[in-house]
């Protein structure tokens, strides 16, 4: 099969790789149809690491994916060959204290698709996964939509952790795919008022298109001042989706006393700091958001029922052969890209390029 290997910094090569085989009775062989390029993939592409997770190239990245079941092990129930599935890229052990406490996303022995040293990623024609990772999607759902179930599930998880209530005011700092998924999830969950920011003009525009009450660019004006003019007592919730020191500081300024900061973004640095006295005086709560927990099925339901449309997020499509071009586009924030989707296999390959 063909797979896109990260062979060095900013270098992706399409190479032949052995097709993965079913090894256990609960394994499922999936033909990958679509893969979304995630900010975390781009971190590895540009920097070769996220914190302690260091790429040992060549390696296959990719975890926002959907496909079609090809073959199933003897004990697999609920999916059969031909079934289209959205994939939860996390394989939890099922035995540790976290798994037993209903927190597989913080499983102590977890393995994640496309994560260095864990599982080979989905930028490949085929993948073998345990059946727990395969969620059937309706025939009406496109492969791209099914691949976007993963980032949307993170938005749903962040929204659930925030305990968002109707009438809440919120700021979402960072309007990339995850920030926008948080917006969509919050709007679907409750009647709320969201202010958003981003440095990329197209993302600022998209935020309002998708329902933010206001969006602005911190390089073109004082966004904190503008939001606080509209909400003089501060906002109830801030979702930090940029992973920047600057946005964390803005969050602390924007929140009302007793408010909650949700850290969703992944910083490129190893340490961040807070204006600690303001944090303390306002008695702010800080919650970190790691991946998602039990939000894949709700995300599928939100998309298939039409309550959420993820289509506007999918601004660019590439065949597997052009994975590197997709990564360059996303890493350079070029051409107004929000989510680049790679079409893998027959469904996506161009006749000849
Ligand atoms: Zn991702
Ligand atoms: Zn576990």
């Amino acid at each position: 099969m063909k797979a896109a290997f990260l062979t060095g910094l900013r270098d992706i090569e399409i190479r032949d790789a052995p097709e993965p085989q079913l090894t256990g009775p609960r394994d499922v062989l999936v033909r990958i149809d679509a893969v979304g390029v995630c900010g975390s993939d781009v971190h590895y592409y540009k920097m070769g690491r996220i914190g302690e997770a260091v790429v040992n190239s060549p390696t296959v990245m990719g975890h926002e994916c959907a496909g079609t079941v090809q073959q199933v092990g003897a004990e697999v129930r609920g999916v059969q060959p031909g079934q289209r599935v959205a994939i939860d890229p996390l394989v939890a052990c099922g035995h540790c204290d976290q798994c037993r406490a209903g927190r597989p996303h913080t499983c102590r022995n977890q393995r994640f698709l496309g994560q260095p040293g864990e599982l080979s990623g989905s930028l490949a024609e085929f993948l073998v996964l345990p059946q727990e990772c395969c969620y059937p999607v309706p025939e009406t759902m496109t492969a791209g939509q099914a691949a976007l179930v993963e980032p949307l599930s993170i938005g749903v998880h962040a929204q659930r952790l925030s305990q968002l209530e109707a009438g809440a005011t919120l700021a979402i700092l960072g309007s990339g795919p995850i920030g926008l998924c948080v917006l969509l999830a919050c709007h679907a969950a409750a009647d709320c008022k969201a202010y958003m920011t981003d440095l990329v003009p197209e993302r600022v525009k998209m935020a309002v298109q998708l329902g933010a009450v206001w969006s602005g660019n911190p390089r073109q004006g004082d966004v904190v001042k503008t939001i606080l003019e509209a909400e003089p007592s501060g906002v109830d919730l801030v979702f930090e989706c940029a992973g920047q020191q600057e946005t964390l500081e803005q969050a602390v300024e924007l929140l009302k006393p007793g408010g909650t900061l949700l850290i969703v973004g992944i910083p490129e640095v190893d340490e961040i700091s807070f204006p600690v006295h303001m944090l303390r005086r306002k008695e702010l709560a800080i919650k970190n958001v790691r991946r998602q927990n039990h939000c894949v099925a709700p995300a599928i339901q939100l998309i298939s029922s039409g309550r959420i449309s993820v289509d506007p997020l999918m601004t660019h499509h590439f065949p597997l052969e052009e994975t590197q071009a997709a990564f360059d586009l996303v890493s350079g924030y070029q051409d107004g890209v929000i989510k680049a989707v790679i079409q893998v296999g027959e469904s996506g390959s161009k006749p000849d390029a």
Side-chain angles (χ1 to χ4, degrees):
M1 69 166 183
K2 281 183 293 179
F5 283 87
L6 179 67
T7 53
L9 286 186
R10 293 184 181 273
D11 196 16
I12 292 175
E13 281 175 29
I14 307 302
R15 294 183 179 175
D16 278 320
E19 246 177 60
Q21 308 289 324
L22 299 185
T23 52
R26 296 164 68 80
D27 279 353
V28 177
L29 174 69
V30 178
R31 186 196 74 210
I32 299 298
D33 294 328
V35 183
V37 177
C38 174
S40 65
D41 300 324
V42 172
H43 270 278
Y44 290 126
Y45 180 67
K46 285 198 301 192
M47 329 275 286
R49 63 188 283 261
I50 297 179
E52 301 97 72
V54 179
V55 170
N56 189 3
S57 48
T59 188
V60 178
M61 296 183 292
H63 58 270
E64 297 178 2
C65 57
T68 306
V69 173
Q70 301 296 293
Q71 203 188 341
V72 298
E75 288 172 19
V76 169
R77 301 286 174 269
V79 290
Q80 51 276 51
Q83 172 75 58
R84 296 174 57 244
V85 289
I87 288 167
D88 177 352
L90 183 124
V91 179
C93 78
H95 308 297
C96 72
D97 62 325
Q98 295 295 300
C99 285
R100 280 185 277 119
R103 298 179 50 91
H105 61 309
T106 51
C107 168
R108 298 191 189 258
N109 312 303
Q110 64 177 266
R111 293 173 303 149
F112 196 79
L113 283 186
Q115 180 78 357
E118 297 182 10
L119 296 172
S120 188
S122 59
L123 283 165
E125 289 179 296
F126 297 95
L127 208 55
V128 166
L129 290 152
Q131 68 165 13
E132 293 76 24
C133 294
C134 302
Y135 287 73
V137 297
E139 275 310 312
T140 49
M141 194 180 276
T142 67
Q145 289 167 344
L148 262 77
V149 162
E150 199 270 349
L152 181 61
S153 70
I154 294 167
V156 174
H157 181 52
Q159 170 262 312
R160 289 184 173 186
L161 284 177
S162 78
Q163 298 178 297
L164 172 74
E165 286 173 9
T169 52
L170 45 115
I172 302 171
L173 309 177
S175 309
I178 292 293
L180 293 167
C181 282
V182 169
L183 172 74
L184 294 172
C186 286
H187 271 314
D191 192 4
C192 57
K193 214 162 139 193
Y195 297 82
M196 292 184 73
T197 63
D198 205 276
L199 299 178
V200 181
E202 291 87 351
R203 294 183 176 191
V204 173
K205 215 184 280 173
M206 181 71 77
V208 167
Q209 269 173 34
L210 295 187
V213 65
W214 175 90
S215 68
N217 186 333
R219 297 290 173 269
Q220 288 168 2
D222 188 334
V223 293
V224 171
K225 188 163 163 258
T226 309
I227 296 172
L228 289 179
E229 273 165 13
E231 301 293 337
S233 43
V235 298
D236 299 301
L237 300 167
V238 173
F239 295 87
E240 198 287 329
C241 300
Q244 300 293 326
Q245 180 63 43
E246 178 189 351
T247 37
L248 290 163
E249 284 164 21
Q250 291 167 351
V252 174
E253 284 188 68
L254 286 167
L255 282 162
K256 64 170 63 161
T260 302
L261 165 59
L262 293 109
I263 303 180
V264 192
I266 302 175
E268 283 188 356
V269 295
D270 293 334
E271 289 188 16
I272 52 170
S273 65
F274 283 106
V276 69
H277 297 297
M278 208 191 294
L279 206 63
R280 185 179 57 79
R281 278 198 300 270
K282 288 189 180 180
E283 201 179 48
L284 300 179
I286 300 180
K287 285 190 184 179
N288 283 275
V289 180
R290 178 108 201 265
R291 298 180 175 147
Q292 58 84 24
N293 190 17
H294 302 305
C295 293
V296 172
I300 292 171
Q301 177 59 25
L302 284 164
I303 296 173
S304 63
S305 65
R307 277 183 62 76
I308 283 181
S309 171
V310 290
D311 289 353
L313 304 182
M314 290 186 266
T315 52
H316 294 73
H317 294 267
F318 292 86
L320 183 66
E321 289 72 15
E322 291 171 29
T323 299
Q324 168 128 23
F327 273 69
D328 285 336
L329 182 90
V330 176
S331 70
Y333 302 95
Q334 293 158 10
D335 197 30
V337 64
I338 309 273
K339 179 62 73 183
V341 177
I342 298 180
Q343 306 285 147
V344 187
E346 293 133 49
S347 58
S349 54
K350 287 179 182 169
D352 87 61

